Amino acid sequence: MSETILNATTGRTLGSSSARRLRAQDQIPAVVYGLGMEPLSVSVDRRELRQAVSGGSGLNTILDLTIDGKMYPSIIKDVQRHPVRLNITHLDFIQVDLNAQIVVNIPIHLTGESEEVQNNKGLIDQIMTELEVSTTPRNIPEEVVVDISAMDMDSTIQVADLQLPDGVTATAEPDRTVVTVSIMRAADLDEDATDAEAGEGDGEGEGGESDDAAADAAGDDSDD
């Protein structure tokens, strides 16, 4: 599990106008709480935050949040983003006990290809993209990797089938489906076949049109 130092500054003025001024200076308003401490309003540098969470653990990175010379092991609990630009506008940090269990979501990534499924025109259907787990902060895995290469048309991978590191427990029901196989409908197969035939037919007479379009494009460029 990755961890890094992130400096936070206290003494920011509360209010939306002050928050906007901070963001204009590439500072992100934030609050720190947890383990019985009084909520503390701080701000962090946007560039430093980006660097701190750029590793494989992403937002699950354990941050050694340094405030006025004191270190608070913390994790990002909540992220608020601008509705259009999607940049971060506010953060909640929660202080954690490095020896106590916490609950976090980690991404599920699929690896491999199933020849059996492909040959039978099946579709791999990933039902869960994240897995909620309980573990200690320093033991949070970056991801759960699921190998689908051995799947066949009747396969289903459930939470109970996932390989998790020691000390990491899934909170979801063991029989919850993670990955399954869908059968492509006959109508979809017919549509694909029709599209393929149309493509072959179009290819026979499209050469002239393509050449004309290319010429027109070249002409437009030369006019510029």
Side-chain angles (χ1 to χ4, degrees):
M1 180 63 202
S2 302
E3 66 276 342
T4 189
I5 294 175
L6 178 65
N7 294 307
T9 303
T10 57
R12 70 177 178 89
T13 304
L14 302 182
S16 57
S17 59
S18 297
R20 284 194 296 268
R21 285 195 294 270
L22 279 173
R23 296 184 194 110
Q25 299 168 8
D26 264 350
Q27 300 293 311
I28 303 174
V31 62
V32 187
Y33 52 85
L35 298 183
M37 70 178 291
E38 288 291 327
L40 182 62
S41 297
V42 298
S43 61
V44 297
D45 183 82
R46 187 178 300 276
R47 185 177 300 176
E48 290 184 10
L49 174 71
R50 187 182 299 117
Q51 183 177 358
V53 299
S54 62
S57 298
L59 296 179
N60 283 332
T61 301
I62 298 300
L63 300 167
D64 292 329
L65 196 64
T66 303
I67 306 171
D68 295 335
K70 184 176 180 180
M71 190 173 295
Y72 298 83
S74 304
I75 193 169
I76 296 174
K77 180 67 173 178
D78 184 64
V79 178
Q80 296 179 25
R81 297 181 181 274
H82 188 280
V84 177
R85 294 192 294 269
L86 299 181
N87 56 310
I88 296 175
T89 58
H90 189 276
L91 292 167
D92 281 21
F93 295 101
I94 184 169
Q95 186 183 189
V96 295
D97 182 342
L98 297 178
N99 298 312
Q101 298 276 320
I102 61 172
V103 175
V104 295
N105 290 315
I106 55 177
I108 299 175
H109 290 156
L110 306 186
T111 185
E113 294 183 357
S114 170
E115 292 186 7
E116 177 76 12
V117 173
Q118 289 181 343
N119 292 340
N120 287 280
K121 300 188 183 302
L123 298 172
I124 298 294
D125 190 3
Q126 184 175 359
I127 306 300
M128 295 176 60
T129 58
E130 288 186 331
L131 180 69
E132 186 180 83
V133 300
S134 175
T135 186
T136 54
R138 301 289 194 201
N139 200 36
I140 301 173
E142 294 182 358
E143 62 183 4
V144 177
V145 178
V146 180
D147 187 356
I148 62 171
S149 57
M151 294 187 74
D152 57 34
M153 296 300 292
D154 298 319
S155 292
T156 296
I157 297 177
Q158 299 178 329
V159 169
D161 302 318
L162 301 179
Q163 301 295 315
L164 299 177
D166 291 340
V168 179
T169 304
T171 62
E173 293 296 326
D175 60 353
R176 184 173 174 184
T177 299
V178 179
V179 186
T180 188
V181 177
S182 300
I183 300 175
M184 189 177 294
R185 298 177 304 168
D188 293 335
L189 294 175
D190 293 341
E191 185 177 339
D192 290 345
T194 302
D195 290 344
E197 292 174 0
E200 292 176 0
D202 292 343
E204 294 175 358
E206 286 184 348
E209 293 182 5
S210 298
D211 292 342
D212 290 343
D216 289 342
D220 291 341
D221 291 341
S222 60
D223 291 341
D224 294 339

